[in-house]
Amino acid sequence: MSGPPGRPSAFHRPLALTCSVVGAAVVAVDGTVLTIAQPALQADLAADTGQVQWTSTGYLVAVASLLVFAGRLGDRYGHRRLFALGCLGFAGASAGIALAPGIGWVVALRVLQGVAGALLQPATLGMLRAAFPPERLGMPVALRTSAIGLAAAAGPLLGGLLVDAYGWRAVFLIGVPPTLAIALLCLAVPEPRREPAPGVGALDLPGACLLGLALACLVHALVQGPVAGAAPVLVLAVLAAVAFAGHERRTPHPLLPPDMLRPGPVVAGLGALVAVSAALSGTLFTATYLLQDTLGLGPLPTALRMLPLALLVIVGAPLSALLKKRVGARATATGGAVLLTAGVLLLGRPVVTASGLATGACAALIGAGFGAVMVTATSVVVHHAAAEHAGVAGGLQQTAMNTGPVVGVALATLLLASGAALPALAAVGALAVPAALRLPGVPRQEQGARRRVADTPAGP
């Protein structure tokens, strides 16, 4: 059942897809249930608001700073091996949080959970790139996206039920069984042997430290917002980024391959992902405030009005993969960016938010647009990266998907009181349009095949 050394057989493709889908879904659920559990956690552990905020901030900083380097480790030592290690660490940290005696332990274990999450997240894409031919990546990426949408939709409901029935500690046990199961499955099936490409073995630790410092400071500054102490951290992020760029130009084996930094499909795909994820997260934050605090709706009616967003991501992701194959990445992602921008812009009108049906329709537009851009841009980023750099490509994609939401929520928080949050977020979403226009069109071989089919005479 095994293929030639270095090539995965068909047997390994279902394994890679299963691990990718389950791993991405577990991380998505963890992020949503934490928000539900935080008030009960704060009351039970007698913590202040700043300490509770660090249960989120510590995780985000750890993940953002390590994703690209973790992807490089996957390229060097095997994506499945790094994925299994990340799953074991994630499960262990989750179980530890459920048993934590105080808020300090929770914060420390959340940082450890972030480190584990950084190991497993790039591998969810690296395994797909290694297992599937580039032309068949669209549907696996779409199924992974649907799983994330389903997890994000089910997470708050599941978290609320568990907190009400068993307390906040129960929500951290959700991901333990699935992560342990897929980790053991990965370890039980040998990974195909392959020789690393020249330069992949060099890990570029100075570059990893500089990039990690830049991303950690950027995320921390954005989470802190316009408060005392945030500006120096942002300046440090800029200085670290400049130092990283200079180091990458000089080192013989850079952390980021030069091809990935040049203008082209990869950079365009990453830009589109940052824009739409920022617009989506900022819009969800703003819509929750508008519907609950301004209109006086409860949590359940608010969730029901925004439910079409998650449903369209779940259903639309596979359809977007088929559409990409039919009309190309450029048209699919551009259409998705336009839909998302229109949905955010319309949601800012009071006449829309006053109607449940109109709000749901806007949420559906946002979900359909986000799903189309995410599937298409992710496929392009992973497809156009060389197979030996698939982990770095996955790390960059995950960095975009982790940084964008922080930017969007920070912008929404800054502009919420002025009423300009949703127009500004629509403008951010519109930035995905020029990025999408730089993505590839329909491959020439597919165009030629269609012409041949069209020119074939019909039978009698």
Side-chain angles (χ1 to χ4, degrees), residues 202 204-207 244-256 258:
D204 187 18
L205 292 177
F244 172 73
H247 169 79
E248 292 293 282
R249 284 195 296 267
R250 294 190 302 270
T251 185
H253 301 300
L255 177 66
L256 297 180

Side-chain angles (χ1 to χ4, degrees), residues 398-457:
Q398 289 294 306
T399 299
M401 294 303 298
N402 278 272
T403 305
V406 178
V407 173
V409 172
L411 181 63
T413 303
L414 184 65
L415 299 177
L416 191 60
S418 68
L422 288 175
L425 290 165
V428 171
L431 293 175
V433 173
L437 289 172
R438 296 184 63 84
L439 298 179
V442 181
R444 291 182 180 178
Q445 59 268 27
E446 291 189 17
Q447 291 178 341
R450 288 178 195 169
R451 291 194 192 100
R452 287 193 294 272
V453 170
D455 294 340
T456 300

Side-chain angles (χ1 to χ4, degrees), residues 14-406:
L15 173 63
L17 181 58
T18 299
C19 292
S20 179
V21 167
V22 174
V26 166
V27 172
V29 166
D30 179 82
T32 56
V33 298
L34 175 65
T35 304
I36 301 296
Q38 279 179 333
L41 182 153
Q42 181 175 359
D44 183 46
L45 299 181
D48 60 43
T49 303
Q51 291 173 319
V52 173
Q53 184 182 16
W54 266 101
T55 63
S56 297
T57 302
Y59 178 89
L60 289 172
V61 169
V63 167
S65 61
L66 292 173
L67 281 167
V68 176
F69 184 60
R72 171 58 74 209
L73 290 176
D75 291 331
R76 178 65 182 86
Y77 298 107
H79 301 297
R80 201 185 304 159
R81 189 177 301 168
L82 264 289
F83 178 79
L85 180 61
C87 286
L88 291 174
F90 200 90
S94 299
I97 294 171
L99 301 173
I103 188 64
W105 280 98
V106 173
V107 172
L109 287 166
R110 279 287 289 172
V111 172
L112 180 60
Q113 195 179 45
V115 173
L119 292 177
L120 73 88
Q121 288 186 61
T124 62
L125 290 171
M127 287 187 296
L128 294 182
R129 177 66 175 87
F132 289 87
E135 66 275 8
R136 293 178 57 188
L137 270 174
M139 190 54 69
V141 170
L143 294 175
R144 177 182 176 275
T145 301
S146 293
I148 293 172
L150 179 61
L157 177 60
L158 183 58
L161 293 173
L162 287 174
V163 171
D164 286 342
Y166 304 106
W168 66 268
R169 297 178 187 274
V171 304
F172 289 100
L173 298 176
I174 296 174
V176 174
T179 46
L180 281 178
I182 55 176
L184 295 176
L185 182 62
C186 282
L187 295 174
V189 179
E191 189 163 10
R193 290 183 292 107
R194 60 188 178 88
E195 293 296 327
V200 174
L203 293 179
D204 187 18
L205 292 177
C209 292
L210 288 171
L211 179 60
L213 177 63
L215 291 171
C217 291
L218 174 64
V219 170
H220 182 266
L222 291 172
V223 170
Q224 290 294 105
V227 299
V233 177
L234 190 58
V235 170
L236 181 58
V238 173
L239 293 176
V242 172
F244 172 73
H247 169 79
E248 292 293 282
R249 284 195 296 267
R250 294 190 302 270
T251 185
H253 301 300
L255 177 66
L256 297 180
D259 290 345
M260 289 189 182
L261 300 177
R262 297 191 184 108
V266 173
V267 172
L270 293 172
L273 289 172
V274 170
V276 296
S277 61
L280 174 72
S281 295
T283 298
L284 287 174
F285 179 87
T286 305
T288 300
Y289 172 83
L290 289 176
L291 295 175
Q292 292 191 23
D293 291 359
T294 303
L295 298 182
L297 298 179
L300 181 58
T302 298
L304 290 175
R305 288 195 181 195
M306 301 306 293
L307 183 61
L309 190 155
L311 293 178
L312 263 292
V313 172
I314 296 167
V315 176
L319 296 178
S320 298
L322 297 175
L323 187 62
K324 171 182 172 288
K325 192 171 183 180
R326 179 74 178 173
V327 302
R330 183 185 304 140
T332 304
T334 301
V338 170
L339 287 178
L340 180 140
T341 302
V344 176
L345 201 57
L346 290 172
L347 195 61
R349 301 182 62 189
V351 67
V352 171
T353 51
S355 164
L357 185 60
T359 302
C362 289
L365 287 176
I366 296 169
F370 176 78
V373 176
M374 183 175 177
V375 169
T376 306
T378 299
S379 298
V380 168
V381 169
V382 179
H383 179 177
H384 282 78
E388 61 269 20
H389 300 308
V392 172
L396 288 171
Q397 190 272 353
Q398 289 294 306
T399 299
M401 294 303 298
N402 278 272
T403 305
V406 178

